[in-house]
Amino acid sequence: MIRSAIIARAKQRILQGNVDPLWSHQEWGDFFQDACDDVWSQIISQHQGWYVRRDYTLTLDVDHYDLPSDFHVLLWLRSANDSYIPEVRTWERERGDGRTGFRIENGTIRLVNWDSALPATLTIDYQHRPNELADWDGNDDPSTTAYEPDPPLNTQAGARLIAKIIATRAKIKDGSATADDVTLTKQAISTFVDLLGTPAQGEPRLLGNY
């Protein structure tokens, strides 16, 4: 379900939500983005295998490689010949043992103790932040995946959850939210994330084999 349809669903959960001037179009769009962030943070904290981009190419810019704007956590870095490049941690840099690897500084990757010419490109796998949409203007969004939440929120269950979070955030602003509203919304987020399960299932246990 696209953003504008989810916002419309949220408005139906609030008395006068469709006509009350208390909330601007931009605020409804912000509520949508904040709701996606709320669920994203829970999913990330559970170390589940969502919000991952693989085989993303970084291009050399003089002496560094700019990370993508939606970058959150680096999962894997390799050079053009597919060789893994390790991180040189702070304490290792301070020790100055000459270890070859990379460090992340101010949204860039820099290779350290690299004896040969820097590679023209690097390839990374990384966890990304939720898709950032432009401000909502109150009109229907195009019916494309670009205006849907990222998986796993691009489902009916995800749309219901985002609409519930948006409605709660709007009611908090106008002072009508109750403690139960907030508690139930938090529980809904936890339930949604728990039902996603884990990325891989362990081996089944035989009776008595623990």
Side-chain angles (χ1 to χ4, degrees), residues 75-87:
L75 302 176
W76 194 258
L77 173 68
R78 53 196 179 277
S79 62
N81 62 2
D82 218 27
S83 298
Y84 167 69
I85 303 174
E87 180 182 9

Side-chain angles (χ1 to χ4, degrees), residues 27-78:
E27 283 179 304
W28 285 116
D30 289 347
F31 290 150
F32 171 88
Q33 199 67 54
D34 291 341
C36 292
D37 288 345
D38 288 341
V39 185
W40 170 83
S41 65
Q42 287 283 340
I43 291 174
I44 292 297
S45 71
Q46 295 294 319
H47 306 291
Q48 297 194 12
W50 300 95
Y51 298 96
V52 174
R53 299 200 196 284
R54 300 199 180 277
D55 300 324
Y56 185 92
T57 299
L58 304 179
T59 302
L60 178 64
D61 184 359
V62 185
D63 61 354
H64 65 274
Y65 305 82
D66 290 323
L67 288 165
S69 59
D70 63 351
F71 176 83
H72 177 59
V73 170
L74 183 67
L75 302 176
W76 194 258
L77 173 68
R78 53 196 179 277

